Amino acid sequence: MSGNTFGTLFRIMTWGESHGPAVGVVIDGCPAGLRLGEEDIQKELDRRRPGQSEITTPRKEEDKVEILSGIFQGKTTGTPISTMVRNRDVDPGKYESLRSIPRPGHADITYEMKYGFRDWRGGGRSSARETTGRVAAGAIAKKILALYGIEILGHVVELGGIRAGSVSIEDIRKNTEKNPVRCADPDAAVEMAAMIHAVRSEGDSTGGIVEIISTGMPAGIGEPVFEKLGAELAHALMSIGAVKGVEIGAGFKSALMKGSEMNDPIAICDGKLRMLSNKAGGILGGISSGEPVICRIAVKPTPSISKEQHSVDLRIMKDTKIKIQGRHDPSIPPRIVPVAEAMVALVLVDQMMMGGFINRSRINEVRS
Amino acid sequence: MSGNTFGTLFRIMTWGESHGPAVGVVIDGCPAGLRLGEEDIQKELDRRRPGQSEITTPRKEEDKVEILSGIFQGKTTGTPISTMVRNRDVDPGKYESLRSIPRPGHADITYEMKYGFRDWRGGGRSSARETTGRVAAGAIAKKILALYGIEILGHVVELGGIRAGSVSIEDIRKNTEKNPVRCADPDAAVEMAAMIHAVRSEGDSTGGIVEIISTGMPAGIGEPVFEKLGAELAHALMSIGAVKGVEIGAGFKSALMKGSEMNDPIAICDGKLRMLSNKAGGILGGISSGEPVICRIAVKPTPSISKEQHSVDLRIMKDTKIKIQGRHDPSIPPRIVPVAEAMVALVLVDQMMMGGFINRSRINEVRS
Amino acid sequence: MSGNTFGTLFRIMTWGESHGPAVGVVIDGCPAGLRLGEEDIQKELDRRRPGQSEITTPRKEEDKVEILSGIFQGKTTGTPISTMVRNRDVDPGKYESLRSIPRPGHADITYEMKYGFRDWRGGGRSSARETTGRVAAGAIAKKILALYGIEILGHVVELGGIRAGSVSIEDIRKNTEKNPVRCADPDAAVEMAAMIHAVRSEGDSTGGIVEIISTGMPAGIGEPVFEKLGAELAHALMSIGAVKGVEIGAGFKSALMKGSEMNDPIAICDGKLRMLSNKAGGILGGISSGEPVICRIAVKPTPSISKEQHSVDLRIMKDTKIKIQGRHDPSIPPRIVPVAEAMVALVLVDQMMMGGFINRSRINEVRS
Amino acid sequence: MSGNTFGTLFRIMTWGESHGPAVGVVIDGCPAGLRLGEEDIQKELDRRRPGQSEITTPRKEEDKVEILSGIFQGKTTGTPISTMVRNRDVDPGKYESLRSIPRPGHADITYEMKYGFRDWRGGGRSSARETTGRVAAGAIAKKILALYGIEILGHVVELGGIRAGSVSIEDIRKNTEKNPVRCADPDAAVEMAAMIHAVRSEGDSTGGIVEIISTGMPAGIGEPVFEKLGAELAHALMSIGAVKGVEIGAGFKSALMKGSEMNDPIAICDGKLRMLSNKAGGILGGISSGEPVICRIAVKPTPSISKEQHSVDLRIMKDTKIKIQGRHDPSIPPRIVPVAEAMVALVLVDQMMMGGFINRSRINEVRS
């Protein structure tokens, strides 16, 4: 396997399996001089953590982060930052019966096909626990972006067929973290929570759509042609386990539009070049226009369900049935929000470094 | 600008502007021993070429490819293959009036913001002519994939709100190239062509959706975590100019599904591990399952329209109106099909090399 | 800082500072199915460890490795392997007086110039402790190479002006690890050890030359032009702290030769293509010829010496004098041997994967 | 073959064979706004060109460069710059007899082993003509560096055993281009030229040493650990065909020194931090110190000699003898000077972009 590295100038490498001793990440490329402590990372991990509310998996993971390098006297030194979270609530016993039966919708079967040998405990490397490293690195990326006035806001816009009403950026800031589904429309949030309870009681699961908005964007971020900002974001977001679609701005709706509807008019507002609408989602020709960057991702329903499913026993190469027991989120979107935000943050910091927007050696703003 | 390179082991670098002397690509990483001539590349360029039918731009570009390196005695030598297409029908005159007025929906404004200086003739580097290099490289990638039994089939599934009916892979093979819209449903193709004529006569344009299916896929292609096959495909496809969304398999529809609907049952068919449905689009955990890989892209309407639009004169920083004259495709999907196929082919060859499926030094099958 | 990543397909990222909690490495790209335990890594770390003999620094580091991921049931799973060594014997007190006085010949001054802020305890990131990660990763690379019949042998060929006599590969195998200077010529080894004692008693240090021979090489490894095998080896070896020169085969002596002396005659021996001499050092045109690959590195004397030196107090920007106290190796070559071997091993595995010599998904030879 | 790409942010891809239609390079990552014309590139190509003096190969190549993209109104636009040189004096006839007999010291045998099929005309891709692309790209890199006050000076310091006397930077600037051997010591230059005539008349060839000094260096360039400035330079220089060794500063001499001799004292001179000597060659811990960066390369004798040599006829797999006829430089160092300068320039621009010393989007200094 390769591909555990992400980014060019702000580069991370994640490691760890669901039921191994720990999961972690090394972040290479953080400038010197950024004030950083475990609490900065912990607060984002707490948003991703299992067991944070009644609608998520009851797996109890405290997910306490340890920083092992890269910080001296409370500030980054420019050297790699290594962080680690110990796996505590690990009981592989319940996976024992599934050792040779791949779970439909999971990576079990393809890992088996590719590697011929896999850590079957809790999905091993393909477990969602791998995303702790993304979130930890994203916390640092967000802290850097905040120095440049950029904020990344994720929220659930659809879940189990229930759509949130139209919300403002202020609504997202204010409401999203107040309900367990992370929906900025409080009424829809209640319905979504009810939907989650309903599918769980059926032994089933449901999907949804998450939107990630980046505000305060400077114009000029992104490299045209193959490293278009939208292409990098699509790569980053589609690399998250359950994501099956990514769109920017009007996205799939643009396929139904006429040019006269889709094109954002250009105008001067308060002396600055602006677009009068934002169907482009803040990106033209792969480069940020200064308008908010808007991405949406389609999140498939959790593949682990307790309903009976068809599969195969690989030891004897015979058809069989399985029912997956254990603790699973009946719907992924609420907990994918911090992961998606992290991926967007990683892309933005990397592309801002690429374009010379961020000094890669030192962050002067926070130097004492 | 960086980002004109794509791929890791099968790597291309494209160059050239719409109204410069030529556009081209260098392909680094093609194994030795592949029979290759200009005709292999030309046939794909002819599918992308402007002026190929009455529904595309009447810009007359013969787009004759020249191979400048990498071939000896009709076979690749393993060294870089440099190909070039001269720009012939270049008349920058008609762009003169738009020098300082960015066209809405185009990269003009963001290039201006980023570089402060740009080749304003026909969009310069951000012109769709840049895709000739992608198609030329993709032609070579497709030829390699064909040796491994992989075929890549693109077709238009929606245009201007008209949806193609359900089609089989055989329908796509048989029908797509027979109509100018590249739709595998002949009835929908007629309606789509009429729609294109209608929007053109209004001075407007329309978007659509293109599907790309890769058949004959071996299981095990793709690297988990950040280089998931779906993530690489999303990157590749979203890097094409007008693409605003990418989905794999059930894509955005998966957001509405329950787990019991979305999960593809696993079974043994004719002694082989198979999925009984393909909502995953042939990818689980970032690795190909052996089922066809299915991607869909949302293509926005052509931004160049002759209707009056709001913009700004950058010289005097004042609001103004523009009408874009000149020769433009009223709908991009038919001509984006070979470009999208090329991007998928480039990803598959690179990932197959990554995974050791293709010998990177020599292609033995075709050695004489 | 970036640059803590090495390799393309077999890729490592190292982290950690001399006086932080730990130093470590993540290895991405090891195939599944390799039998691997902590003992495989520990034995190489023990060769690098300080305090292993009377001629090295008396810093007492047990350097006990922990594997945190990537192994299941005693075999690699293909996922990243994260290893870590805790820093135990850390007493930053003795560096306190040098906080603002850069040590000549060290990276103190350039880190200060670049980052404006640094972990001054024991050199921080620029400490030789960073090489533990290289050695740990190299241990895995060596184990893979051994499956392909490749052995990497480092030995000291010159130290403090004392040259080892001519030695055979068998001498290197047999003698090198039997003396603390790692010299394959036992007589020279005695003289070198005496030289080390002499310079230490003067409060000074001395340099030397290390040779690394890779035997059992298949022909065809290396990518021509910019990724020539020799260029990759030069990069790898020159990235080790104290190395100031790298040569391949006849190296700098080739500058004095005539073509008729330098060219290795080609002949058929026992039915195989061979070179009758090996002045090329096993590499022609950047590609391995099948002969042993021979590299030599020039290692500068340890910059930490107790003699008085000129430097500057950065707080007051005034000239000053320093004497460096503390525990330092008076000569680096003996302990650089396992580090140089590791770097060569990392390059060979990566280039063998590049060239398709090693299956990147599974190592079949050792699968149970 | 991969490996035809060099650099991360200032990235080039070279292509072309000795006897194909052309050789060229694409440069991706040049900022917008640099004044650039073919004459800037031509003047460096003329220094590399065969037939420039009586001591080089009489192959007559005008080596006229064409720029195919990336320039508009005399300035770079930030898009890829594609340049090409047609191969004119190509007569493969004289290579016909060597088709199946690999020339000792050349890449013929290893290409054959790796690819099984090769363009045998004039060495194909492994010909020194490949370096035209390096020199063309280097010309652009040098022009960028000059804006930052950095000058790169190559000169021959040893040839056929004749050593140049000690020279100042001013001597190098003034004398090097005045004699065909590019030696800054005029007396040694005469002796070296005589040596070249002597070896040529014997049907033999000779090697030498070239030094490349970069002056005007800012402190802080280079990324520690694996991308140390010295490691990047070693990679770059060792990737040139005939180079068998690279050293920085005192290089191999440092192996003979004591720490008290090798360490450069640090002092304040005219209010600035300086080193009182430069045995480190301007690099400490992988980062530039502000002192001139000094590299030396060992260049092997030209492998093409007319003396009889042992080789093998691959068709019949039998030992044979060969004498190489044709036009060859009897000594490579004089013509390798501009190539080595180009490689150093490419590394410096890339590393300066990495470290944020150069704005990657726009060069403001030269914007009109």
Side-chain angles (χ1 to χ4, degrees):
Chain A
M1 187 189 302
S2 59
N4 296 283
T5 315
F6 188 78
T8 300
L9 297 181
F10 191 83
R11 177 181 280 179
I12 70 169
M13 193 184 271
T14 68
W15 55 270
E17 283 84 38
S18 174
H19 285 63
V23 288
V25 64
V26 189
I27 298 119
D28 186 14
C30 184
L34 180 73
R35 293 203 173 281
L36 191 77
E38 285 167 352
E39 64 284 3
D40 292 304
I41 295 170
Q42 194 61 52
K43 75 177 178 206
E44 290 291 335
L45 285 176
D46 288 346
R47 295 177 67 213
R48 195 217 75 94
R49 188 165 64 82
Q52 63 184 271
S53 81
E54 43 155 17
I55 64 160
T56 62
T57 163
R59 178 168 169 164
K60 289 269 180 304
E61 290 283 1
E62 195 191 356
D63 281 355
K64 178 97 191 56
V65 72
E66 292 172 61
I67 297 181
L68 296 166
S69 67
I71 311 289
F72 181 57
Q73 296 175 338
K75 288 184 294 186
T76 57
T77 58
T79 65
I81 302 166
S82 177
T83 80
M84 181 169 84
V85 167
R86 296 267 173 199
N87 291 323
R88 300 208 189 273
D89 185 16
V90 291
D91 167 18
K94 65 180 176 292
Y95 294 97
E96 196 90 44
S97 65
L98 302 175
R99 283 177 65 159
S100 62
I101 305 172
R103 297 164 299 168
H106 273 286
D108 300 355
I109 181 86
T110 49
Y111 269 61
E112 196 71 43
M113 286 162 159
K114 187 175 182 82
Y115 305 108
F117 171 66
R118 70 192 168 88
D119 182 347
W120 44 262
R121 301 167 303 168
R125 179 71 181 145
S126 69
S127 158
R129 280 198 71 68
E130 174 267 321
T131 61
T132 51
R134 303 180 183 225
V135 169
I140 299 172
K142 278 181 176 183
K143 193 153 187 191
I144 296 171
L145 292 173
L147 295 173
Y148 293 84
I150 298 173
E151 187 182 18
I152 296 172
L153 297 160
H155 63 124
V156 173
V157 295
E158 188 172 323
L159 191 148
I162 299 155
R163 276 194 203 183
S166 178
V167 291
S168 67
I169 283 175
E170 203 38 49
D171 292 334
I172 304 170
R173 268 196 205 106
K174 205 175 55 191
N175 299 336
T176 305
E177 295 297 314
K178 289 203 183 128
N179 60 71
V181 283
R182 292 206 166 88
C183 176
D185 169 353
D187 297 336
V190 172
E191 284 184 72
M192 289 174 183
M195 164 62 75
I196 289 173
H197 285 287
V199 294
R200 176 193 277 165
S201 65
E202 289 171 40
D204 215 330
S205 63
T206 187
I209 296 176
V210 169
E211 184 174 74
I212 309 99
I213 303 183
S214 305
T215 68
M217 290 289 297
I221 298 174
E223 302 293 319
V225 188
F226 297 115
E227 295 176 10
K228 287 187 170 81
L229 185 53
E232 297 288 325
L233 289 166
H235 183 150
L237 292 166
M238 200 75 107
S239 79
I240 305 170
V243 175
K244 296 303 281 185
V246 178
E247 57 180 16
I248 306 290
F252 274 86
K253 286 211 184 81
S254 70
L256 290 164
M257 290 182 183
K258 292 190 175 171
S260 53
E261 297 168 296
M262 177 70 191
N263 289 347
D264 300 310
I266 305 172
I268 295 185
C269 305
D270 303 327
K272 288 181 59 181
L273 283 168
R274 293 291 306 274
M275 315 294 136
L276 296 181
S277 57
N278 191 15
K279 284 160 198 153
I283 303 173
L284 279 170
I287 303 171
S288 69
S289 66
E291 304 301 323
V293 167
I294 301 168
C295 311
R296 267 180 308 278
I297 54 177
V299 183
K300 74 173 185 179
T302 320
S304 291
I305 56 175
S306 57
K307 284 194 165 172
E308 189 176 84
Q309 298 180 84
H310 281 266
S311 187
V312 164
D313 188 323
L314 297 173
R315 279 169 313 181
I316 53 174
M317 281 300 272
K318 284 240 160 80
D319 287 359
T320 186
K321 303 269 165 95
I322 58 164
K323 285 184 182 194
I324 300 167
Q325 307 305 334
R327 308 156 302 175
H328 306 285
D329 288 43
S331 191
I332 300 166
R335 278 183 64 211
I336 221 172
V337 166
V339 180
E341 287 174 4
M343 293 312 296
V344 169
L346 291 170
V347 168
L348 291 185
V349 166
D350 198 32
Q351 287 290 317
M352 286 179 74
M353 287 181 167
M354 277 280 176
F357 289 80
I358 295 176
N359 184 318
R360 297 189 57 237
S361 302
R362 316 179 183 190
I363 288 194
N364 290 305
E365 290 83 341
V366 298
R367 311 247 3 267
S368 60
Chain B
M1 188 189 300
S2 59
N4 296 283
T5 314
F6 187 79
T8 299
L9 297 181
F10 191 82
R11 177 181 279 181
I12 70 169
M13 194 183 272
T14 67
W15 56 270
E17 283 83 38
S18 173
H19 286 63
V23 288
V25 64
V26 189
I27 299 118
D28 186 14
C30 184
L34 180 72
R35 293 204 172 281
L36 191 77
E38 286 167 352
E39 63 286 2
D40 292 304
I41 295 169
Q42 193 62 52
K43 76 176 179 206
E44 290 291 335
L45 285 176
D46 288 347
R47 294 176 68 212
R48 195 217 75 93
R49 187 166 64 80
Q52 64 185 271
S53 81
E54 42 154 18
I55 62 159
T56 62
T57 164
R59 178 167 168 164
K60 291 267 178 308
E61 291 282 1
E62 198 191 353
D63 280 356
K64 179 94 193 58
V65 72
E66 292 171 63
I67 298 181
L68 296 165
S69 68
I71 311 290
F72 182 55
Q73 297 177 336
K75 289 185 292 188
T76 58
T77 58
T79 66
I81 302 166
S82 177
T83 79
M84 179 168 85
V85 167
R86 296 267 173 196
N87 290 323
R88 299 207 189 274
D89 186 16
V90 292
D91 167 19
K94 64 179 178 291
Y95 294 98
E96 196 89 46
S97 65
L98 301 176
R99 286 177 63 161
S100 62
I101 306 172
R103 297 164 300 167
H106 274 285
D108 300 355
I109 181 86
T110 48
Y111 270 61
E112 197 71 44
M113 286 161 159
K114 188 175 181 82
Y115 304 108
F117 172 66
R118 71 192 167 87
D119 182 348
W120 43 262
R121 300 167 305 169
R125 179 71 181 146
S126 69
S127 159
R129 280 198 72 67
E130 174 267 320
T131 61
T132 51
R134 303 179 183 225
V135 170
I140 299 172
K142 278 181 175 182
K143 194 154 185 188
I144 296 171
L145 292 173
L147 296 174
Y148 292 84
I150 298 173
E151 187 183 18
I152 297 172
L153 297 160
H155 63 123
V156 172
V157 295
E158 188 172 325
L159 191 149
I162 298 154
R163 275 193 204 185
S166 177
V167 290
S168 68
I169 283 175
E170 202 39 47
D171 292 333
I172 303 170
R173 268 195 205 107
K174 204 175 56 190
N175 299 336
T176 305
E177 296 297 314
K178 288 203 183 131
N179 59 70
V181 283
R182 291 204 167 89
C183 175
D185 169 353
D187 297 335
V190 173
E191 284 184 73
M192 289 174 183
M195 165 62 76
I196 289 173
H197 285 286
V199 295
R200 177 194 276 165
S201 66
E202 289 171 39
D204 216 329
S205 63
T206 187
I209 296 176
V210 168
E211 184 174 76
I212 309 98
I213 303 183
S214 305
T215 68
M217 290 290 296
I221 298 175
E223 302 294 319
V225 190
F226 298 114
E227 296 178 8
K228 287 186 170 81
L229 185 53
E232 297 288 324
L233 289 166
H235 183 151
L237 291 165
M238 200 74 107
S239 79
I240 304 171
V243 175
K244 298 302 282 183
V246 178
E247 57 180 17
I248 306 290
F252 275 86
K253 286 212 184 80
S254 69
L256 290 164
M257 290 181 182
K258 293 191 173 167
S260 55
E261 297 167 295
M262 177 71 193
N263 289 348
D264 300 311
I266 305 171
I268 295 185
C269 305
D270 303 328
K272 287 180 59 181
L273 283 168
R274 294 291 306 273
M275 315 294 135
L276 297 180
S277 58
N278 191 14
K279 284 161 198 153
I283 303 173
L284 279 169
I287 302 171
S288 69
S289 66
E291 303 301 324
V293 168
I294 301 169
C295 312
R296 266 179 309 278
I297 54 176
V299 183
K300 74 174 185 178
T302 320
S304 292
I305 55 175
S306 56
K307 283 194 167 172
E308 190 176 81
Q309 297 181 84
H310 281 267
S311 187
V312 164
D313 188 324
L314 297 173
R315 278 170 313 181
I316 53 173
M317 283 299 273
K318 285 241 158 80
D319 286 0
T320 185
K321 304 268 165 94
I322 58 163
K323 285 184 180 192
I324 299 167
Q325 307 304 335
R327 307 156 305 176
H328 306 286
D329 288 45
S331 191
I332 299 167
R335 280 182 64 210
I336 220 171
V337 165
V339 180
E341 288 174 4
M343 293 312 297
V344 169
L346 291 170
V347 168
L348 292 184
V349 167
D350 198 32
Q351 287 291 318
M352 286 179 74
M353 286 181 166
M354 276 282 176
F357 289 81
I358 295 176
N359 183 318
R360 297 189 58 236
S361 302
R362 318 180 182 188
I363 288 194
N364 290 305
E365 291 83 341
V366 298
R367 311 257 354 275
S368 60
Chain C
M1 188 188 301
S2 59
N4 295 284
T5 315
F6 188 78
T8 300
L9 298 180
F10 191 82
R11 178 181 279 180
I12 70 168
M13 193 184 272
T14 68
W15 56 269
E17 283 84 37
S18 174
H19 285 62
V23 288
V25 64
V26 190
I27 299 119
D28 186 15
C30 184
L34 180 72
R35 294 203 173 281
L36 191 77
E38 285 167 353
E39 64 285 4
D40 292 303
I41 295 170
Q42 194 62 53
K43 76 176 177 206
E44 290 291 335
L45 285 176
D46 288 346
R47 294 177 67 213
R48 195 215 76 93
R49 188 165 64 79
Q52 64 184 273
S53 81
E54 42 154 18
I55 63 160
T56 62
T57 163
R59 178 169 168 163
K60 289 271 179 305
E61 291 281 1
E62 195 191 358
D63 281 355
K64 177 96 191 57
V65 72
E66 292 172 62
I67 297 181
L68 297 165
S69 68
I71 310 290
F72 181 56
Q73 297 176 338
K75 289 185 293 186
T76 58
T77 58
T79 66
I81 302 166
S82 176
T83 79
M84 181 167 83
V85 167
R86 297 267 172 199
N87 291 323
R88 300 208 188 272
D89 186 15
V90 291
D91 167 18
K94 64 178 178 292
Y95 294 98
E96 196 91 43
S97 64
L98 301 176
R99 284 176 65 160
S100 62
I101 305 172
R103 296 165 299 167
H106 273 286
D108 300 355
I109 181 87
T110 48
Y111 270 60
E112 197 71 43
M113 286 162 159
K114 187 175 182 84
Y115 304 109
F117 171 66
R118 70 193 169 88
D119 182 347
W120 44 262
R121 301 168 304 169
R125 180 70 180 146
S126 69
S127 159
R129 279 197 72 67
E130 174 267 321
T131 61
T132 52
R134 303 180 183 225
V135 169
I140 299 172
K142 279 182 175 181
K143 193 153 188 192
I144 296 171
L145 292 173
L147 295 174
Y148 293 85
I150 298 173
E151 187 183 17
I152 296 172
L153 296 160
H155 62 125
V156 173
V157 293
E158 188 172 325
L159 192 147
I162 298 154
R163 275 192 205 188
S166 178
V167 290
S168 69
I169 283 176
E170 204 39 48
D171 293 332
I172 304 171
R173 268 196 205 105
K174 204 175 55 192
N175 300 337
T176 305
E177 295 297 315
K178 290 204 183 127
N179 60 72
V181 283
R182 293 206 165 88
C183 176
D185 169 354
D187 297 335
V190 173
E191 284 184 71
M192 288 175 185
M195 164 63 74
I196 289 172
H197 284 288
V199 294
R200 177 194 278 164
S201 65
E202 290 171 38
D204 216 330
S205 63
T206 187
I209 296 177
V210 169
E211 183 174 75
I212 309 99
I213 303 183
S214 306
T215 68
M217 290 290 296
I221 297 174
E223 302 293 320
V225 189
F226 298 114
E227 296 177 8
K228 288 187 169 81
L229 185 53
E232 298 288 324
L233 289 166
H235 183 150
L237 292 165
M238 200 76 106
S239 79
I240 304 171
V243 176
K244 297 302 282 184
V246 179
E247 57 180 16
I248 306 289
F252 274 86
K253 286 212 184 81
S254 69
L256 290 164
M257 290 182 182
K258 293 191 175 170
S260 54
E261 297 167 296
M262 176 71 192
N263 290 347
D264 300 311
I266 305 171
I268 296 186
C269 305
D270 303 327
K272 288 180 59 182
L273 282 168
R274 293 290 306 273
M275 315 294 135
L276 296 182
S277 58
N278 191 15
K279 285 161 197 153
I283 304 173
L284 279 170
I287 303 171
S288 69
S289 66
E291 303 301 323
V293 168
I294 301 169
C295 311
R296 266 179 309 277
I297 55 176
V299 183
K300 73 174 186 180
T302 320
S304 291
I305 56 175
S306 56
K307 283 195 166 170
E308 188 176 82
Q309 297 181 85
H310 282 267
S311 187
V312 165
D313 189 324
L314 298 173
R315 279 171 313 181
I316 53 174
M317 283 299 273
K318 286 241 159 78
D319 286 359
T320 185
K321 304 267 166 96
I322 58 165
K323 285 184 181 193
I324 299 167
Q325 307 304 334
R327 308 157 302 176
H328 306 285
D329 288 44
S331 191
I332 300 167
R335 280 183 63 211
I336 221 171
V337 166
V339 180
E341 287 174 5
M343 292 313 297
V344 169
L346 291 170
V347 167
L348 291 184
V349 167
D350 197 32
Q351 287 290 318
M352 286 179 74
M353 287 182 166
M354 277 280 176
F357 289 80
I358 295 177
N359 183 318
R360 298 189 56 236
S361 302
R362 316 180 184 189
I363 287 193
N364 290 305
E365 290 83 340
V366 297
R367 311 254 357 271
S368 60
Chain D
M1 187 189 302
S2 59
N4 295 282
T5 314
F6 187 79
T8 300
L9 298 181
F10 191 83
R11 177 181 279 179
I12 71 168
M13 193 184 274
T14 67
W15 56 269
E17 282 84 38
S18 173
H19 286 62
V23 288
V25 63
V26 189
I27 299 118
D28 186 14
C30 184
L34 180 72
R35 294 203 173 280
L36 191 78
E38 286 166 352
E39 63 284 4
D40 292 304
I41 296 169
Q42 193 62 52
K43 75 176 179 206
E44 290 291 336
L45 286 176
D46 288 347
R47 294 176 68 211
R48 195 217 74 93
R49 188 166 64 81
Q52 63 184 273
S53 81
E54 41 155 17
I55 63 159
T56 62
T57 163
R59 178 170 169 163
K60 290 270 178 305
E61 289 283 0
E62 197 192 355
D63 280 356
K64 177 96 193 57
V65 73
E66 291 172 62
I67 298 181
L68 296 165
S69 68
I71 311 290
F72 182 56
Q73 297 176 337
K75 289 185 292 189
T76 58
T77 57
T79 65
I81 302 167
S82 176
T83 79
M84 179 168 83
V85 167
R86 297 269 173 196
N87 291 324
R88 299 207 188 274
D89 186 16
V90 291
D91 167 18
K94 63 178 178 290
Y95 294 98
E96 196 88 46
S97 64
L98 302 175
R99 284 178 63 160
S100 62
I101 305 172
R103 296 164 301 167
H106 273 286
D108 301 355
I109 181 87
T110 48
Y111 269 61
E112 196 71 43
M113 286 161 158
K114 187 175 182 83
Y115 305 108
F117 172 66
R118 70 190 168 90
D119 181 349
W120 44 262
R121 300 167 305 169
R125 179 71 181 146
S126 70
S127 159
R129 279 199 72 66
E130 175 268 319
T131 61
T132 51
R134 303 180 182 225
V135 170
I140 299 171
K142 278 182 175 182
K143 193 154 186 188
I144 296 171
L145 293 173
L147 296 173
Y148 293 84
I150 298 172
E151 187 183 18
I152 296 171
L153 297 159
H155 63 124
V156 173
V157 295
E158 187 172 325
L159 191 148
I162 298 154
R163 276 196 202 183
S166 177
V167 290
S168 68
I169 284 176
E170 203 39 48
D171 292 333
I172 304 171
R173 269 197 204 105
K174 204 174 57 191
N175 300 337
T176 305
E177 295 298 314
K178 288 202 184 130
N179 60 71
V181 282
R182 292 205 166 89
C183 176
D185 168 353
D187 297 337
V190 173
E191 284 184 71
M192 289 174 183
M195 165 63 77
I196 289 173
H197 284 287
V199 294
R200 177 194 278 164
S201 66
E202 289 172 39
D204 215 329
S205 63
T206 187
I209 296 177
V210 169
E211 183 174 74
I212 309 99
I213 302 183
S214 305
T215 69
M217 290 290 296
I221 298 175
E223 303 293 320
V225 189
F226 297 114
E227 295 177 9
K228 287 187 170 81
L229 185 54
E232 297 288 324
L233 289 166
H235 183 151
L237 291 166
M238 201 75 107
S239 79
I240 304 171
V243 175
K244 296 303 283 184
V246 179
E247 56 181 16
I248 305 290
F252 274 86
K253 287 211 183 81
S254 69
L256 290 164
M257 290 181 182
K258 293 193 173 167
S260 54
E261 297 166 296
M262 177 70 192
N263 288 348
D264 300 309
I266 305 172
I268 295 186
C269 304
D270 302 328
K272 289 179 59 179
L273 283 168
R274 294 291 305 274
M275 315 294 134
L276 296 180
S277 59
N278 191 15
K279 285 161 198 153
I283 303 173
L284 279 170
I287 302 172
S288 68
S289 66
E291 303 302 322
V293 168
I294 301 169
C295 312
R296 266 179 308 279
I297 54 177
V299 183
K300 75 174 184 180
T302 320
S304 291
I305 55 175
S306 56
K307 284 196 167 170
E308 190 176 83
Q309 297 181 84
H310 281 267
S311 187
V312 164
D313 188 325
L314 298 173
R315 279 170 313 182
I316 53 174
M317 282 299 272
K318 285 241 158 80
D319 287 0
T320 186
K321 303 269 165 94
I322 58 163
K323 285 184 181 194
I324 299 168
Q325 307 304 335
R327 306 157 305 176
H328 305 286
D329 288 44
S331 191
I332 299 167
R335 278 182 65 210
I336 221 172
V337 166
V339 179
E341 287 174 5
M343 292 312 297
V344 169
L346 291 170
V347 168
L348 292 184
V349 166
D350 198 31
Q351 287 290 319
M352 286 179 73
M353 287 180 166
M354 277 280 176
F357 290 80
I358 295 177
N359 183 318
R360 297 189 58 238
S361 302
R362 317 180 183 189
I363 287 195
N364 290 305
E365 291 83 340
V366 297
R367 311 253 358 270
S368 60

